[in-house]
Amino acid sequence: MLKDFLEGKPLRHPLHPILVHFPIGLFILSLLFDLGSLAFPSTPNLVRDAFYAMLLGIIGALIAAVPGIVDYTDIRDDHPGKRTATAHLTLNLIVVGLYGINLGIRSSTLDALKTPVGPLILSLVGIALLSVSGYLGGRLVYDEGISVGRHKRRTPTPENTLNLARRENGEATFVPVPEAERLGDRETL
């Protein structure tokens, strides 16, 4: 029951892809606040805002990691996507650790008008690694078919789909699609 929830089955949508948008957005927002503090040093609280956006990003990443790990455990060891998934998981752990270190360094400079160079570099590296990890996550879905339930059609099967030819009177001829339940194992149209 808990595993079904973490996989997003009650929502009819995988949970991990929904949740990852929050930490990604918050980490990018944190970097934007950092850059804003450099461009507009007289604007108060940008360094502090970057810190709290980063903190919320880490919390969001840890929440998104739970269904991500559940999805990871469902991948067979012999599946070609397992290696990509391991790299995706590893990069995400590195990113969260990097941002954790970044928070520790920043905690003593919350009242600064400009983001110090060290935390700014850590943020840039974090965003770069996060981008690579996001790319790998996309490859898992689109190239490897991980967490893609193509067999779980929720809409009615179309009655007419393929236009084969035109009749003598010019009317299109269609082929009806059989119900999925009528197809045998490993049988296709």
Side-chain angles (χ1 to χ4, degrees), residues 3-169:
K3 184 178 181 207
D4 287 347
F5 174 75
L6 292 174
E7 288 177 344
K9 288 182 181 175
L11 301 174
R12 295 181 167 175
H13 189 286
L15 197 54
H16 180 67
I18 294 171
L19 295 175
V20 298
H21 291 82
F22 296 103
I24 292 170
L26 287 163
F27 289 146
I28 292 171
L29 180 63
S30 175
L31 179 62
L32 291 175
F33 282 143
D34 284 342
L35 296 175
S37 76
L38 297 177
F40 309 103
S42 60
T43 306
N45 299 326
L46 287 177
V47 174
R48 183 179 303 272
D49 293 343
F51 175 86
Y52 286 115
M54 190 178 297
L55 176 63
L56 290 173
I58 290 174
I59 293 168
L62 294 174
I63 292 169
V66 175
I69 290 170
V70 170
D71 291 346
Y72 179 79
T73 61
D74 281 344
I75 303 171
R76 295 184 332 265
D77 288 336
D78 63 334
H79 192 286
K82 185 73 168 196
R83 187 172 174 194
T84 304
T86 302
H88 174 70
L89 172 67
T90 304
L91 276 174
N92 284 331
L93 291 173
I94 291 170
V95 167
V96 170
L98 193 65
Y99 277 110
I101 292 168
N102 201 338
L103 276 180
I105 295 171
R106 287 171 182 261
S107 64
S108 63
T109 62
L110 292 179
D111 293 328
L113 293 176
K114 290 183 179 181
T115 299
V117 174
L120 179 63
I121 290 172
L122 286 175
S123 289
L124 290 169
V125 171
I127 291 292
L129 293 176
L130 188 64
S131 298
V132 173
S133 179
Y135 169 78
L136 293 177
R139 283 198 50 210
L140 286 170
V141 173
Y142 293 107
D143 293 347
E144 305 293 346
I146 302 295
S147 292
V148 175
R150 292 185 181 111
H151 63 286
K152 298 178 183 179
R153 181 182 276 282
R154 300 280 187 227
T155 59
T157 303
E159 292 181 25
N160 300 313
T161 58
L162 303 175
N163 183 350
L164 294 180
R166 299 238 174 233
R167 294 184 181 155
E168 290 179 15
N169 64 1

Side-chain angles (χ1 to χ4, degrees), residues 153 157-162 174-180 182-183 189:
R153 181 182 276 282
T157 303
E159 292 181 25
N160 300 313
T161 58
L162 303 175
F174 293 95
V175 175
V177 176
E179 294 296 319
R182 289 190 209 163
L183 295 175
L189 295 175

